[in-house]
Structures are given as structure tokens and as C-alpha cells.
């Protein structure tokens, strides 16, 4: 076994012992070195990682696997629910856009008077009105089906 494997095995053994005792802390020092200990450093912040460790070669390993699979299923279900919610929101937005376009087309097909931002009436020709109506019909056909 090389030194890296021995060091990793030793670290894992210490981690499991510390996790069983209730605390395993991880922190990075000023030089970027990662440290693990059963007690937090005297100064600075440390992350308690004891709860993130899984048991190795224990009778509970099957339960851990089931828990892991159920967590994956839960994440998948959350993802699917979020996708469905986004799809419903998109459908609502499209339906709203279709209603506005159909209403505007209906208005353009009758007598219309356009009012600008200052409240003055803007006159348009019959040709412009027809062009606007045709553009709305194209939009409705494209977006609303």
C-alpha cells in the first residue's frame, strides 16, 4: 500500500471514531491546507461534517443505501415538480398573450381610435389598420395555434 492509501485509511478511521463521538470538524487554514479534527480550531470557522459520513461495513449499510435511493428519488421528484410548475407557468403566460392578441385583433376589426401617451388621438389609415390586424392574426396563428 502506498502512503496516500494508508493516510486515507487512517483519516477515515479517525473520522469514523470522531463521528461516533459526535463531532468531526473540517477547516481550511490560511495556507489552503484542509484539516480534520474531533475538535474545532481555536480560532476561525470549522464545518461539522460528522453527519455527512456514511457507515462502512456495518449492518446498517443496507438502510443507508435505501435512504440514499430515497433521497435520490426525492430529488428527482422535486426536479419533476419544478419542471411541471414551470410548464404550467409558461402555459398561463401563453394563454394570457393569446387572450390579449385576440382582444386587440377584435378591437382592430371594428372602429378604432388610437390614443398616444399624451392623450391625443392618433389617426391611422385603413391600410395601417389592416396591416396591424394581419400582424396580430399571424401572431395568434404562431403562438396560439
Amino acid at each position: 500500500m502506498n502512503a496516500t492509501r494508508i493516510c486515507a485509511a487512517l483519516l477515515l478511521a479517525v473520522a469514523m471514531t470522531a463521528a461516533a463521538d459526535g463531532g468531526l470538524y473540517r477547516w481550511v487554514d490560511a495556507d489552503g491546507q484542509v484539516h480534520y479534527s474531533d475538535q474545532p480550531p481555536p480560532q476561525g470557522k470549522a464545518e461539522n461534517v460528522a453527519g455527512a459520513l456514511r457507515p462502512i461495513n456495518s449492518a446498517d449499510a443496507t438502510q443507508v443505501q435505501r435512504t440514499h435511493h430515497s433521497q435520490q428519488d426525492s430529488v428527482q421528484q422535486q426536479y419533476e415538480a419544478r419542471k411541471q410548475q414551470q410548464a404550467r407557468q409558461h402555459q398561463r403566460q401563453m394563454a394570457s398573450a393569446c387572450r390579449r392578441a385576440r382582444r386587440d385583433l377584435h378591437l382592430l376589426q371594428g372602429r378604432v381610435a388610437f390614443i398616444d401617451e399624451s392623450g391625443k388621438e392618433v389617426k391611422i389609415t385603413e391600410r395601417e389598420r389592416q396591416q396591424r390586424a394581419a400582424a396580430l392574426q399571424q401572431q395568434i396563428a404562431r403562438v396560439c395555434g
Side-chain angles (χ1 to χ4, degrees), residues 12 43 45 48 55 97 99 106 124 131 136 141:
L12 187 58
Q43 67 275 3
K45 293 183 179 179
N48 188 345
R99 282 191 301 274
H106 179 73
I124 64 169
Q131 288 172 344
L136 277 172

Side-chain angles (χ1 to χ4, degrees), residues 3 20 25 30 32 53 59 65 77 80 87 116:
Y25 298 92
L53 298 175
Q65 284 292 351
Q77 289 171 351
E80 293 296 330
D116 66 9

Side-chain angles (χ1 to χ4, degrees), residues 4-111:
T4 305
R5 288 185 183 172
I6 293 172
C7 185
L10 184 58
L11 178 64
L12 187 58
V14 169
M16 294 307 293
T17 303
D21 291 342
L24 176 64
Y25 298 92
R26 177 187 183 277
W27 71 93
V28 180
D29 66 16
D31 296 327
Q33 288 285 91
V34 177
H35 298 274
Y36 293 90
S37 175
D38 61 345
Q39 296 184 1
Q43 67 275 3
K45 293 183 179 179
E47 175 185 5
N48 188 345
V49 294
L53 298 175
R54 297 185 335 187
I56 297 176
N57 295 334
S58 81
D60 296 332
T62 306
Q63 179 63 30
V64 170
Q65 284 292 351
R66 275 191 231 122
T67 302
H68 180 67
H69 288 299
S70 67
Q71 287 173 347
Q72 285 179 333
D73 292 344
S74 175
V75 168
Q76 182 67 24
Q77 289 171 351
Q78 289 173 359
Y79 173 74
E80 293 296 330
R82 192 169 38 249
K83 273 180 52 176
Q84 289 175 356
Q85 181 182 12
Q86 289 172 345
R88 285 190 300 268
Q89 182 179 5
H90 179 70
Q91 287 175 337
R92 285 192 300 270
Q93 289 172 343
M94 294 303 289
S96 177
C98 287
R99 282 191 301 274
R100 282 192 309 271
R102 287 184 175 124
R103 182 198 66 217
D104 291 348
L105 178 60
H106 179 73
L107 292 173
L108 273 174
Q109 289 173 338
R111 288 186 62 126

Side-chain angles (χ1 to χ4, degrees), residues 108 125-137:
L108 273 174
T125 65
E126 178 61 20
R127 179 179 294 254
E128 290 173 317
R129 186 191 65 78
Q130 289 174 355
Q131 288 172 344
R132 289 184 184 189
L136 277 172
Q137 285 176 337

